[in-house]
Amino acid sequence: MAKAVLVTGAQQGIGRSCALAFAAAGYDVAVNWLDDVAAAEAVAAGIRAAGQRAALVQGDVAGVAGCRALVQATLEAFGRIDVLVNNAGIFPRVPFLEMTEQEWDRVLAVNLKGSAFCAQAAARAMVAAGHGGAIVNLSSQSVRGTPVGVHYSATKTGVLGITRSMALALAPHGIRVNAIAPGTTDTAQPRYGHSEEELQAMGRAVPLGRLGRPEEIADLAVHLASEKAAWVTGQVWHINGGSYMP
């Protein structure tokens, strides 16, 4: 039986690339989507073209019940969950002096609470099955700070904290937890608030001379979930072309 992965926020961008990369590596994939069923169906078609099973799982990770429902749907579709990729996230850019409580709460609910409780639900299923597993959390280069994303930077820094703590909590169960912190990646997200000319300038400013590709983030996620990374847990992997070296 193929292993199964749940990828949150998989209808586009890095999540889409992760879903396709895991399918290419032989996983059945639960594709979580929020508001674009056509995009999600296109991802599922790519998974099936790779010879793997796909399940479309609509839902919002901002609430605990939603997180648990995504994992339950994965179990119902495939009978197991071996890997969780906590990719779902939002970055509504807003100057700090204009940020509202509602904006703060929404970003924390999706990016941080969602990651924590999707991980909890997946880990409970992995523990019950007794086969261990892997969780890959998506952080961001924005841990270094961003003036129009105080709430976003707070969540992505928080992701590092929960990654390390969950790695310690889940190690006795054979569940590994790691985080990937991408730099600016060529997806829809950086295009929100930036012109194409500005994006190209951002790419030229990177030491390696370009923006990241979502496939590069996905390849790292597959590696961290694989047996090739069997002694890797609690780590933060920065992938940014040299633009941030903590």
Side-chain angles (χ1 to χ4, degrees):
M1 177 184 291
K3 290 186 176 181
V5 57
L6 166 62
V7 183
T8 67
Q11 70 186 35
Q12 63 182 2
I14 290 173
R16 173 185 181 277
S17 289
C18 284
L20 296 175
F22 273 95
Y27 288 77
D28 293 331
V29 186
V31 178
N32 165 238
W33 62 282
L34 179 65
D35 56 10
D36 190 340
V37 66
E41 287 174 343
V43 177
I47 293 164
R48 295 179 184 120
Q52 300 304 129
R53 293 183 294 170
L56 293 179
V57 185
Q58 196 276 337
D60 188 344
V61 303
V64 176
C67 294
R68 292 174 178 170
L70 298 186
V71 171
Q72 183 59 35
T74 303
L75 294 172
E76 291 173 359
F78 305 130
R80 60 188 296 153
I81 180 169
D82 301 271
V83 179
L84 167 68
V85 179
N86 260 325
N87 168 77
I90 56 173
F91 186 177
R93 291 159 179 79
V94 58
F96 176 58
L97 295 178
E98 300 173 14
M99 186 177 63
T100 66
E101 181 181 11
Q102 290 74 24
E103 288 168 329
W104 170 270
D105 287 347
R106 176 63 180 168
V107 173
L108 262 70
V110 174
N111 295 5
L112 189 55
K113 184 170 76 172
S115 292
F117 282 96
C118 281
Q120 184 193 65
R124 284 175 172 173
M126 293 171 187
V127 170
H131 55 50
I135 296 170
V136 180
N137 297 321
L138 268 292
S139 181
S140 169
Q141 179 176 281
S142 292
V143 296
R144 67 181 181 179
T146 172
V148 293
V150 171
H151 45 6
Y152 181 79
S153 183
T155 63
K156 293 304 184 179
T157 302
V159 165
L160 305 187
I162 66 172
T163 294
R164 293 168 178 141
S165 297
M166 291 190 302
L168 295 173
L170 298 175
H173 302 287
I175 300 170
R176 299 181 298 101
V177 189
N178 291 287
I180 300 174
T184 305
T185 305
D186 192 6
T187 65
Q189 188 191 80
R191 286 179 166 76
Y192 176 77
H194 294 101
S195 68
E196 196 65 30
E197 183 178 348
E198 288 172 331
L199 284 174
Q200 293 305 316
M202 291 164 64
R204 289 192 296 272
V206 173
L208 288 182
R210 63 172 176 83
L211 300 180
R213 302 185 184 103
E215 295 83 3
E216 293 170 316
I217 315 305
D219 287 343
L220 180 53
V222 172
H223 172 74
L224 290 174
S226 76
E227 288 303 309
K228 293 181 179 180
W231 208 45
V232 178
T233 196
Q235 305 304 308
V236 182
W237 294 69
H238 291 274
I239 176 169
N240 54 45
S243 58
Y244 177 52
M245 302 180 187

